[in-house]
Amino acid sequence: MFDTAGGISVLAPEIARAAGCEPWGALVGHRMTGDRLTLPRCERVAIEWDGVRLEAPVAGVLDATSLMAVDAAPIDGLLALDVFDGQTITIDFAALSLIIETPESLAERVSGAIELPARLAREVGGRALAVYIDVPSARGSLAMELDSGNGGTILVSKPYAAALGLDPAAPGPQRGAFPIAEGVEARGVMFTPELVIDGNLGMPFLRDWAVTLDLARGRVWLNPSAATPPPSMGAPPPLE
């Protein structure tokens, strides 16, 4: 699974063994719900992908299927942004493509694109890597994580729900919309749980864009995707 909010890439125990890794130590972090995760680690895990060599400097070892939905298919691991640290990539979600940019291709890509205020987040002793964008609200700017692993919802932490026009007391999902920048809006099924982050923008938002992430300087650009997303991409969970 490729998860822009994964933080640290993860291998299933059997994949770690096949790669010759003897897990050791402990990586300690928290999910956005506040749940603590403690994982043993592998060092310098090399990944060959379509002729490109990537490396996870430190990978966690975990059966990541345990973190997925109950009916999700088993997975062998989780690829996070840490393997692209220092590079610039563009992910066109609807087109199912990920491009590692060169300086020349980046200049062409961002010409006319929408740049959003953004920052890099590094947790777990600075080893993790995720991207947040600034979202304006009635009370101030919120930092919302870009999360391709969130398949069908947009999450706003309860203390910030009212500032984005949502009902913080709603026990379940609610439909909502809020602006992010001129011509950019988050819209869809939203939940307002207690989170340790301000909010989380999942596939209902990301599927409409080719998202360029500068993972050295913490910059983000959006171009509208020219592709039609697969029907299931960004689909909300079953609702009553």
Side-chain angles (χ1 to χ4, degrees):
M1 179 179 177
F2 177 61
D3 184 358
T4 57
I8 288 180
S9 296
V10 170
L11 305 176
E14 60 271 20
I15 302 300
R17 286 194 297 269
C21 168
E22 181 179 343
W24 72 289
L27 299 171
V28 180
H30 293 83
R31 305 181 72 189
M32 62 181 169
T33 53
D35 300 331
R36 174 176 166 144
L37 281 178
T38 302
L39 313 178
R41 58 190 272 188
C42 290
E43 306 300 304
R44 301 191 64 174
V45 177
I47 302 165
E48 293 286 346
W49 182 12
D50 197 23
V52 176
R53 182 180 174 88
L54 306 172
E55 182 180 276
V58 176
V61 179
L62 173 73
D63 178 6
T65 303
S66 64
L67 304 179
M68 304 296 109
V70 174
D71 57 349
I75 60 174
D76 295 318
L78 183 148
L79 194 67
L81 293 178
D82 57 337
V83 300
F84 300 106
D85 194 359
Q87 302 188 74
T88 300
I89 62 174
T90 294
I91 314 164
D92 189 335
F93 294 93
L96 305 179
S97 71
L98 188 152
I99 298 160
I100 300 175
E101 302 284 2
T102 66
E104 295 75 20
S105 70
L106 176 62
E108 182 177 354
R109 180 87 58 189
V110 302
S111 176
I114 302 168
E115 183 169 5
L116 302 177
R119 66 184 58 83
L120 302 178
R122 295 183 178 274
E123 300 175 6
V124 194
R127 296 186 178 93
L129 179 58
V131 177
Y132 287 72
I133 63 170
D134 287 351
V135 174
S137 80
R139 300 292 300 275
S141 177
L142 307 182
M144 302 194 76
E145 187 177 38
L146 300 180
D147 184 5
S148 64
N150 176 0
T153 67
I154 293 169
L155 304 178
V156 178
S157 190
K158 191 177 293 294
Y160 298 112
L164 291 178
L166 300 172
D167 179 3
Q174 52 191 301
R175 295 194 177 275
F178 53 84
I180 292 175
E182 185 175 354
V184 182
E185 181 183 64
R187 175 180 296 274
V189 174
M190 303 187 182
F191 287 80
T192 58
E194 295 277 1
L195 302 174
V196 296
I197 61 176
D198 297 350
N200 178 287
L201 295 169
M203 291 306 295
F205 172 74
L206 295 173
R207 67 182 176 186
D208 295 329
W209 302 99
V211 183
T212 299
L213 306 173
D214 181 338
L215 299 175
R217 297 177 295 170
R219 300 178 71 180
V220 173
W221 296 266
L222 301 181
N223 280 296
S225 176
T228 300
S232 61
M233 182 176 284
L239 304 177
E240 295 181 0

